[in-house]
């Protein structure tokens, strides 16, 4: 049988994106499609678990199986799918409000467990779908529709948080450089363990501070620094703090840690979807009798 060679077009759907013209999420979608083509992933073996908000619509535009979860629940749903069928490529995608707000607790536990999924966060430092409220990553003092005098909250620092939680693959990319982002996403998918790709995805409608021009002037590309070693944990911590997380590229990689599945007691080698189930009436009667 001839090998099927896929292109980014094979991961497009017929749905027309309703993102605002210029939204950074277009770059993330393109990068994800390019990464899938680079790895020649079969769409029927991929599950994209999408969160809420503008970024959560990405599941409608990427051709694979897709689950659109409720606010903050991308991680538990993605983890459950991966544990049920380890043969699937499981990718979670959402925004900073979804992942670092109500979903923050799930995010930390997914990181520390090192389950084999890839999490793509479209970070625009604002809530776009609900008309421009401040988000968990908005800077302190940031003026929005919900904080006209400036937010009093200090921002979540996702890169530092992930490092503290024990992430084994951490990278950050920028929507203006989708080819670079595609390389990172492809590498993250191949990584055995939890991968976080925080994608700087500017909101052109409601965030007039964290703009494309701002990032182009301030971002530092670690992949272009010959002295930077992404396998040095202490260097990664010092670097993201030094540049206040205004970096892109591979930040930290650790291939030596076992995945959650490797350590889970009684985890069968055969995916649950292929397991033989007992349907004999006597089998169920015995269970009912035991717990009656």
């Amino acid at each position: 049988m001839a090998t099927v060679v896929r292109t980014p077009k094979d991961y497009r759907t017929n749905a027309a994106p309703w993102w605002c013209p210029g939204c950074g999420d277009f770059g993330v979608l393109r990068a994800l499609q390019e990464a899938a083509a680079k790895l020649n992933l079969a769409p029927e073996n991929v599950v994209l678990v999408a969160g809420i908000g503008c970024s959560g619509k990405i599941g409608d535009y990427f051709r694979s199986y897709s689950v659109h979860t409720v606010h903050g629940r991308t991680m538990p749903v993605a983890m459950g799918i991966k544990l049920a069928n380890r043969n699937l490529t499981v990718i979670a995608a959402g925004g900073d409000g979804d992942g670092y707000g109500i979903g923050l607790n799930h995010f930390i536990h997914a990181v520390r467990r090192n389950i084999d999924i890839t999490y793509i966060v479209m970070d625009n430092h604002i809530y776009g779908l609900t008309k421009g409220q401040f988000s968990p990553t908005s800077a302190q003092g940031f003026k929005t529709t919900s904080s006209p005098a400036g937010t009093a909250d200090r921002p979540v620092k996702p890169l530092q948080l992930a490092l503290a939680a024990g992430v084994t693959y951490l990278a950050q990319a920028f929507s203006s450089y989708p080819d670079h982002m595609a390389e990172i996403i492809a590498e993250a998918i191949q990584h055995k363990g939890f991968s976080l790709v925080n994608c700087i995805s500017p909101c052109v409608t409601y965030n007039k501070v964290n703009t494309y021009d701002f990032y182009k002037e301030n971002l530092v590309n670690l992949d272009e620094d010959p002295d930077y070693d992404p396998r040095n944990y202490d260097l990664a911590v010092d670097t993201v703090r030094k540049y206040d997380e205004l970096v892109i590229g591979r930040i930290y990689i650790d291939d030596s840690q076992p995945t959650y599945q490797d350590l889970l007691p009684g985890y069968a080698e055969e995916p649950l979807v292929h397991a033989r189930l007992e349907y004999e009436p006597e089998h169920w009667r015995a269970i009912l009798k035991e717990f009656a």
Side-chain angles (χ1 to χ4, degrees):
M1 182 179 296
T3 302
V4 177
V5 178
R6 300 175 179 86
T7 70
K9 291 182 179 180
D10 293 308
Y11 304 95
R12 297 176 186 172
T13 69
N14 293 326
W18 53 255
W19 292 323
C20 299
C23 175
D25 292 356
F26 283 104
V28 179
L29 174 62
R30 173 186 156 185
L32 178 58
Q33 291 166 336
E34 288 186 3
K38 186 185 295 287
L39 299 177
N40 203 30
L41 299 177
E44 64 270 21
N45 292 329
V46 178
V47 180
L48 180 61
V49 181
I52 57 89
C54 298
S55 56
K57 293 292 289 182
I58 195 170
D60 295 344
Y61 315 137
F62 182 79
R63 182 170 169 260
S64 70
Y65 284 105
S66 178
V67 179
H68 199 168
T69 70
V70 296
H71 198 170
R73 302 300 186 264
T74 53
M75 288 295 95
V77 173
M79 289 173 61
I81 293 170
K82 187 65 178 184
L83 289 175
N85 188 348
R86 72 182 73 194
N87 292 338
L88 294 173
T89 296
V90 180
I91 303 166
D96 47 297
D98 183 59
Y100 305 140
I102 194 172
L104 184 63
N105 188 48
H106 292 303
F107 167 69
I108 292 173
H109 291 302
V111 172
R112 73 178 182 86
R113 287 177 177 133
N114 197 35
I115 193 159
D116 189 17
I117 59 178
T118 300
Y119 191 21
I120 299 171
V121 178
M122 285 154 271
D123 189 354
N124 59 13
H125 293 56
I126 205 163
Y127 281 101
L129 183 65
T130 49
K131 310 307 180 188
Q133 299 85 356
F134 70 90
S135 83
T137 55
S138 297
Q140 192 172 35
F142 189 52
K143 294 182 179 181
T144 69
T145 56
S146 58
S147 57
T151 175
D153 293 5
R154 288 187 293 176
V156 169
K157 302 288 187 178
L159 305 182
Q160 295 177 56
L161 185 62
L163 286 166
V167 70
T168 56
Y169 186 97
L170 176 64
Q172 186 158 262
F174 180 33
S175 290
S176 281
Y177 311 136
D179 292 338
H180 181 233
M181 186 184 290
E183 292 177 9
I184 288 175
I185 291 176
E187 190 174 279
I189 292 172
Q190 290 181 301
H191 174 75
K192 296 301 180 184
F194 187 89
S195 303
L196 172 64
V197 181
N198 197 67
C199 297
I200 297 171
S201 181
C203 174
V204 295
T205 301
Y206 295 109
N207 191 335
K208 305 302 183 181
V209 176
N210 306 109
T211 63
Y212 286 99
D213 288 340
F214 168 81
Y215 285 116
K216 288 178 181 178
E217 292 173 5
N218 291 281
L219 285 173
V220 175
N221 190 342
L222 300 180
D223 289 340
E224 295 179 348
D225 183 354
D227 296 323
Y228 185 79
D229 180 8
R231 300 184 184 277
N232 185 327
Y233 178 82
D234 292 334
L235 179 60
V237 172
D238 291 342
T239 300
V240 296
R241 293 181 64 185
K242 174 183 177 182
Y243 293 108
D244 195 24
E245 309 215 345
L246 288 172
V247 296
I248 55 174
R250 286 84 166 173
I251 297 167
Y252 182 65
I253 304 171
D254 182 1
D255 296 318
S256 67
Q257 300 301 317
T259 67
Y260 186 66
Q261 297 95 306
D262 295 332
L263 301 175
L264 194 63
Y267 188 59
E269 292 186 6
E270 184 181 45
L272 182 62
V273 69
H274 298 310
R276 180 177 179 273
L277 300 178
E278 298 289 344
Y279 293 106
E280 293 80 2
E282 289 302 320
H283 172 77
W284 297 113
R285 291 193 188 99
I287 292 177
L288 290 172
K289 184 177 181 180
E290 180 180 354
F291 293 98

